[in-house]
């Protein structure tokens, strides 16, 4: 579906069911340089089981128009503006990587708008190496290759995905290649600059679950667990044999952890 947020046309996948704001709403927010397609399995399952799903393309990403928002708190504000635009007073926010930071920021500052929070592949701080930032600023394809390699755990590099014929690394690289010039750099710079993770965590008031990959090299499970310790009442689920892209590397285990949270 298309929705206008602050004058910009935004695309959101609804999981194959019409969006009904009267149902419990779940907002799914992708990570740096990606789009709604990372939630393909999870969005469809939840939409067919009584949830109103919005798997977003953030501004400047995927099918959405406008310029990318390159500041995590501003991205958190934008998520709330989207809820206003679709007439939803309260939602479960689910974010992956950069999207998780945006959801965390929103949860800290708009507690009345969240009924639940799920953070995937996340840590209190997500610094980005200056060399990677420089490659992304130059729109160098090497930046995509490095991210794709680091984002997937050892099992994903070897194959054996439950969906026969799935090539996770190839698919991940093609997805990053679809990002417009400059978007990946803006996203990475936003993650690098966000320093409020720990302070925002202690302000969260809704039920919260962190879903972490045991083999995640970008946001190690140990760091994610530290973030969970800061959020009142939060719990952490660590998925075996998964790197940073748990939604595609271990889709069933991720869904199992997610559906209990939202």
């Amino acid at each position: 579906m298309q929705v206008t947020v602050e004058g910009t046309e935004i695309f959101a996948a609804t999981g194959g069911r019409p969006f009904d704001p009267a149902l419990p709403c779940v907002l799914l927010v992708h990570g740096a340089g990606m789009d709604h397609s990372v939630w393909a399995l999870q969005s469809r399952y939840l939409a067919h089981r009584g949830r109103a799903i919005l798997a977003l393309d953030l501004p400047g990403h995927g099918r959405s128009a406008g310029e990318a928002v390159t500041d995590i708190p501003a991205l958190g504000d934008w998520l709330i503006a989207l809820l206003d635009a679709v007439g939803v007073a309260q939602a479960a926010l689910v974010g992956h990587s950069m999207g998780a930071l945006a959801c965390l920021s929103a949860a800290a500052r708009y507690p009345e708008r969240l009924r639940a929070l799920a953070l995937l592949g996340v840590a209190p701080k997500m610094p980005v190496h200056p060399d990677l930032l420089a490659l992304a600023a130059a729109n160098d394809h090497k930046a995509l290759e490095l991210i794709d390699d680091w984002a997937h755990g050892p099992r994903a590099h070897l194959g054996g995905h439950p969906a026969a014929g799935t090539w996770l690394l190839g698919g991940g690289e093609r997805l990053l290649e679809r990002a417009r010039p400059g978007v990946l750099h803006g996203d990475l710079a936003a993650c690098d600059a966000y320093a409020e993770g720990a302070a925002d965590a202690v302000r969260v008031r809704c039920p919260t679950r962190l879903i972490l990959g045991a083999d995640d090299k970008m946001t190690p499970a140990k760091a994610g667990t530290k973030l969970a310790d800061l959020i009142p009442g939060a719990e952490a689920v660590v998925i075996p044999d998964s790197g940073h892209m748990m939604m595609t590397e271990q889709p069933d285990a991720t869904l199992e952890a997610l559906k209990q949270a939202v």
Side-chain angles (χ1 to χ4, degrees), residues 129-241:
H129 195 282
D131 291 347
L132 179 58
L133 281 172
L135 288 170
N139 295 307
D140 191 317
H141 196 272
K142 188 68 175 177
L144 316 185
E145 297 170 21
L146 291 172
I147 291 172
D148 193 41
D149 182 41
W150 294 332
H152 290 93
R155 180 171 175 177
H157 283 75
L158 295 175
H161 193 271
T166 300
W167 182 26
L168 290 177
L169 270 74
E173 194 169 312
R174 298 295 89 77
L175 175 58
L176 290 167
E177 286 173 345
R178 294 209 300 252
R180 299 162 205 169
V183 166
L184 180 62
H185 174 258
D187 289 352
L188 295 177
C191 294
D192 186 65
Y194 179 62
E196 297 92 340
D200 282 347
V202 300
R203 299 167 63 190
V204 175
R205 292 293 176 265
C206 62
T208 302
R209 172 170 285 193
L210 281 75
I211 303 173
L212 311 168
D215 300 325
D216 188 342
K217 291 186 287 189
M218 301 182 80
T219 51
K222 182 178 180 181
T225 302
K226 287 183 179 178
L227 180 62
D229 289 342
L230 294 172
I231 300 174
E235 58 178 350
V237 176
V238 179
I239 298 179
D241 292 326

Side-chain angles (χ1 to χ4, degrees), residues 8 19 45 73 77 97 106 115 131 133 137 169 173 201 259:
T8 299
F19 179 74
Y45 179 95
D77 292 338
S97 197
R115 60 177 177 80
D131 291 347
L133 281 172
L169 270 74
E173 194 169 312
K259 69 185 184 183

